[in-house]
């Protein structure tokens, strides 16, 4: 498990900042953490947003994710073990422990926990929970951006076609290699990506339409970017994110097999639990899910579907007892 180097604003200071990014190849979050008399205060210096909570404990986590980089961070938990505040980043753990000890806040770690248990803990969110990223928000594509992307894609396709027709395919490979380097270095990555990978201009809309068609057929449910559910024949249920399979469960009516879906609401929280025939939670997928799409998916894959508002005790029991989750 990677341990971030440096104090990141630690030492004797009362304010800490992350030493590295939340993953090995991500930017360092612009967050600042302080604690006093049991109160944790965190400021996102990018957005100017500040969060202040009184946690029952701090949870220092390293989440090993299937097919992706390990995710590091600190979560502030309430008395039920639900996440009040999630702070992804490569925090210097000894400094966080010292700060918490001075403020009288207990600390727990994920050292002896499985990735499935860590994911379940991070997905168990308290009403009103927040995540501070400390990173610039992604810009929304305007009409001008879309026109620029289309133009770059057409230009890239034209250059690729001209080189291929003239027997200079090797030249395009060299240009594309240079393009990948520029994409990694420059900020306007979306524009360069459209130029050097022009087939994305065609493939992305086709993939989107195919995904929507499969949702309409009930074979999958969820957004194209994931996570989404896929019913595999004859008796498998998968949670997929992008091109990675995040979780696999067998379907059936025996205990321990996926038998039903529970679409829930608890105060301001929404999400989906995959249950077995005894009502035990096998997997937790927090976030919005369209009921109509879930109904088609459940019918096609021989699953039951229930839609309920949960009490605090019901939600806490399911969220904390689930075998795995996709936070």
């Amino acid at each position: 498990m990677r341990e971030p180097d440096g104090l990141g604003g630690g030492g004797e200071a009362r304010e800490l900042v992350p030493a590295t990014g939340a993953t090995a190849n991500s930017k360092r979050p612009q967050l600042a953490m302080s604690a006093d008399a049991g109160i944790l205060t965190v400021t996102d210096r990018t957005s100017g947003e500040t969060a202040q909570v009184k946690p029952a404990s701090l949870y220092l986590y390293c989440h090993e994710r299937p097919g992706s980089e390990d995710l590091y961070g600190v979560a502030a938990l309430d008395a039920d073990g639900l996440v009040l505040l999630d702070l992804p980043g490569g925090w210097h753990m000894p400094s966080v422990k010292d700060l918490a000890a001075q403020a009288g806040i207990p600390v727990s770690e994920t050292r002896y926990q499985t990735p499935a248990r860590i994911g379940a803990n991070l997905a168990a969110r308290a009403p009103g929970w927040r995540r501070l990223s400390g990173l610039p928000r992604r810009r929304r594509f305007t009409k001008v951006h879309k026109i620029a992307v289309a133009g770059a894609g057409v230009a890239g396709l034209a250059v690729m076609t001209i080189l291929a027709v003239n027997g200079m395919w090797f030249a395009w490979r060299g240009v594309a290699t240079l393009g990948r380097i520029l994409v990694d270095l420059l900020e306007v990555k979306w524009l360069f990506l459209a130029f050097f990978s022009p087939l994305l201009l065609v493939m992305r809309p086709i993939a989107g339409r195919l995904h929507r068609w499969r949702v309409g057929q009930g074979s999958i449910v969820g957004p194209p970017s994931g996570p989404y559910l896929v019913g595999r024949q004859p008796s498998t249920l998968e949670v997929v994110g992008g091109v990675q399979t995040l979780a696999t469960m067998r379907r059936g009516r025996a205990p321990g097999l996926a038998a039903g879906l529970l679409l829930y609401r608890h105060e301001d929280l929404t999400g989906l639990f995959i249950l077995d025939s005894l009502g035990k939670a096998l997997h937790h997928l927090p976030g919005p899910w369209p009921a109509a799409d879930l109904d088609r998916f459940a019918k096609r894959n021989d699953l039951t579907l229930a839609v309920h508002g949960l009490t605090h005790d019901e939600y806490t029991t399911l969220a904390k007892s689930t075998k795995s989750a996709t936070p």
Side-chain angles (χ1 to χ4, degrees):
M1 186 165 70
R2 174 176 63 90
E3 177 69 29
D5 297 324
L7 293 179
E12 297 300 320
R14 296 288 296 175
E15 186 176 82
L16 304 180
V17 299
T20 63
T23 62
N25 296 308
S26 64
K27 294 182 179 180
R28 183 169 65 89
Q30 298 301 305
L31 298 174
M33 175 196 301
S34 61
D36 185 50
I39 303 294
L40 183 73
T41 302
V42 182
T43 300
D44 184 331
R45 291 173 172 170
T46 300
S47 66
E49 186 179 3
T50 297
Q52 193 172 69
V53 295
K54 188 172 184 178
S57 64
L58 294 185
Y59 184 56
L60 313 183
Y61 64 82
C62 169
H63 186 205
E64 298 175 14
R65 301 175 296 175
S68 187
E69 296 177 306
D70 294 350
L71 179 70
Y72 291 80
V74 176
L77 309 181
D78 68 8
D80 294 316
L82 304 180
V83 178
L84 295 166
L85 188 62
D86 188 11
L87 307 169
W91 299 90
H92 186 248
M93 298 308 181
S95 299
V96 174
K97 290 180 181 179
D98 289 344
L99 185 72
Q102 294 172 17
I105 304 174
V107 175
S108 62
E109 294 185 68
T110 60
R111 185 173 302 175
Y112 303 110
Q113 296 179 340
T114 64
R117 183 70 261 152
I118 297 168
N121 290 340
L122 295 176
R125 299 163 179 172
W129 83 287
R130 298 166 69 183
R131 175 183 288 133
L132 297 183
S133 69
L135 299 173
R137 293 182 180 179
R138 292 182 179 179
R139 296 178 180 177
R140 291 186 177 181
F141 267 36
T142 64
K143 187 176 181 179
V144 173
H145 289 142
K146 293 178 180 178
I147 293 173
V149 168
V154 171
L157 188 60
V159 171
M160 184 174 68
T161 302
I162 292 170
L163 293 177
V165 167
N166 288 278
M168 300 176 63
W169 184 253
F170 65 92
W172 173 256
R173 293 180 61 183
V175 172
T177 300
L178 174 62
R180 284 192 292 271
I181 296 173
L182 291 175
V183 166
D184 288 335
L185 293 177
L186 300 177
E187 290 296 324
V188 195
K189 294 184 178 182
W190 49 270
L191 194 58
F192 280 85
L193 191 61
F195 179 83
F196 292 107
S197 301
L199 289 180
L200 290 177
L201 195 65
V202 177
M203 294 305 298
R204 186 169 181 178
I206 293 176
R209 290 187 179 185
L210 177 61
H211 186 91
R212 289 192 294 273
W213 179 81
R214 295 182 67 192
V215 169
Q217 295 296 309
S219 60
I220 62 176
V221 60
S225 58
Y228 57 87
L229 295 177
V230 181
R232 304 290 189 191
Q233 297 302 326
S235 58
T236 303
L237 186 64
E238 292 182 354
V239 180
V240 178
V243 297
Q244 300 292 336
T245 299
L246 306 179
T248 302
M249 290 155 279
R250 290 184 57 80
R251 303 198 309 269
R253 300 303 175 190
L257 302 183
L261 306 175
L262 171 60
L263 178 62
Y264 72 83
R265 175 174 292 278
H266 172 56
E267 297 190 27
D268 63 337
L269 300 173
T270 59
L272 183 69
F273 285 109
I274 300 173
L275 308 176
D276 71 1
S277 58
L278 300 179
K280 294 184 178 179
L282 304 178
H283 198 83
H284 182 194
L285 293 151
W289 290 83
D293 293 347
L294 283 172
D295 183 57
R296 285 193 297 270
F297 181 82
K299 289 176 179 176
R300 179 172 178 135
N301 292 280
D302 193 27
L303 300 167
T304 62
L305 173 64
V307 182
H308 290 304
L310 300 180
T311 66
H312 184 75
D313 288 343
E314 290 171 336
Y315 169 76
T316 302
T317 298
L318 287 169
K320 296 302 293 181
S321 65
T322 186
K323 292 184 176 180
S324 62
T326 302

